[in-house]
Amino acid sequence: MILSFLCFLLMFTLVGVLSAKKSRGTKQDYYLASSTVQPWLVGLSAVATNNSGYMFIGVIGYTYVAGLSSVWLMLGWISGDYLASRFVHARLRDAAPRTGEVSYAGVISNWYGKRNSALQRIMGLISLSFLLVYASAQLVAGSKALHVLFDWPIWAGATLSAFLVTLYCIAGGIRASIWTDAAQSMVMVLAMGLLLVIATSSLGGIDQALIEMSAIDGFMSWFPDDLPFPGVPGALLFAASWLFAGLSIIGQPHVMVRFMALNDNRKMNQARRWYYAWYVMFYAMATAVGMLSRVYLSDAASFDAELALPVMAQALFPPVLVGLVLAGIFAATMSTADSLVLGCSAAITHDLLPQNIERTSVMKGITVLVTAFALLWALLNSQSVFSLVVMAWSGLASAFAPLLIILCLGGKPGSGVSILAVCSGLLVALGWRMMGWHDFAYEGMPGILSGLLILSGALFLSRRKNAQLTQSP
């Protein structure tokens, strides 16, 4: 088991290190791979980065508890993601070379060529804060799996993951991240697919599995029990809120930078096809495995739901395949952690510091420091992976998505109103979560809507004022 796990880790690391041969030694190459990445690599990298340890640990844990009603999360999330991709991704890819910026915040802040340093620094600070939270969640996810299967202390898995991420990020920057993402996405799908097939057949097939799940009280209900409104209205609100979670993809610097690295904007549809084919297949299998895990691990009251997948794999698989599943979990955590670390590094070197850093050696040094800080945060963390990821995801989306949507639609909001929208969206999402309302509606929904309301209202008033000035004698 340990041998097969270590072999996969070695493979991922070698892929990342070999990418250094393509390095051009520039900031554009370190953070954007000089915008030379093929569509299939963009698609697989983006889906691996999106479907992180959150999918193996968080979503399966949530499905273990929620049952069939968790399907609304999947449907809403993927639908929102797809809608956003139809009008944002290509425009963001076009803006990257036009602005000459290498960071997500830099591109948005300089969308029309006029530098907005205040907005860029605020966005950079928000990016750094929430991406660090997100990165720590990935390290926690990997360490949980190792703790269950090998009885390693929690710090060991997090430290191992941080070390490997640092190694290949220093070697090849985002190109190393993208290359390893592609290899990791294949292992992730293979591990999840094998677990689904073997778990189903061990119960006697699909029909018997459905009978076993139906025997669990409320587990096969289409609607969550704690909705604010009963029946279909409550379910629609629940699904609509998770649609906003999917739309939140455009507020995630570590994912969107993959599409910014595409070699030709005319190939965006090819990248999108790779992305959604892999995404739908993997998410559907993860949801099914999460439901099956409740049958195998029935003592929900005394069991950490986020440990369902590794415990289930250990019960069903021979040691070699357990190593494969563990490698899949670790692949998912690392494929996101490396992206998050590089996103934090870009925020420091090109958004927060007064002068952009041009030397890649300094960028790599900051990458090491960021990884060390994320590791420290992971070791001190006491929250669940699901909770950490959703909080980071919603915070970034509420701050950035409204402004990016308005820019992609041709709006030209001023500096002051842009900063107001960014800060207001973030505060609304955090306040929603602090009030505990996120239990029935994803906090990113009110956060994004509040930012859009501020920006669209300001643009409407500006156009009305201009129209009045034009008509006046």
Side-chain angles (χ1 to χ4, degrees), residues 21 144 176 191 246 263 287 291 293 393 399:
K21 293 183 177 181
K144 277 192 171 187
N263 63 352
T287 300
M291 294 187 67
S293 68
W393 186 273

Side-chain angles (χ1 to χ4, degrees), residues 76 80 239-249 393 442 444-445 448-449 452:
S241 72
W242 286 110
L243 185 142
F244 274 82
L247 185 143
S248 297
I249 187 77
W393 186 273
Y442 164 69
M445 180 172 68
I448 292 172
L449 289 175
L452 285 174

Side-chain angles (χ1 to χ4, degrees), residues 15 114 437:
V15 169
K114 185 178 180 181
W437 298 337

Side-chain angles (χ1 to χ4, degrees), residues 165-214:
V165 164
T166 301
L167 185 63
Y168 61 74
C169 279
I170 289 177
I174 197 170
R175 182 178 285 105
S177 176
I178 289 174
W179 283 23
T180 53
D181 284 350
Q184 289 160 349
S185 67
M186 295 176 187
V187 173
M188 287 160 59
V189 167
L190 178 61
M192 194 68 78
L194 280 174
L195 192 56
L196 175 61
V197 170
I198 292 176
T200 304
S201 61
S202 296
L203 288 175
I206 296 176
D207 291 340
Q208 186 60 37
L210 291 173
I211 292 173
E212 296 278 356
M213 288 186 285
S214 299

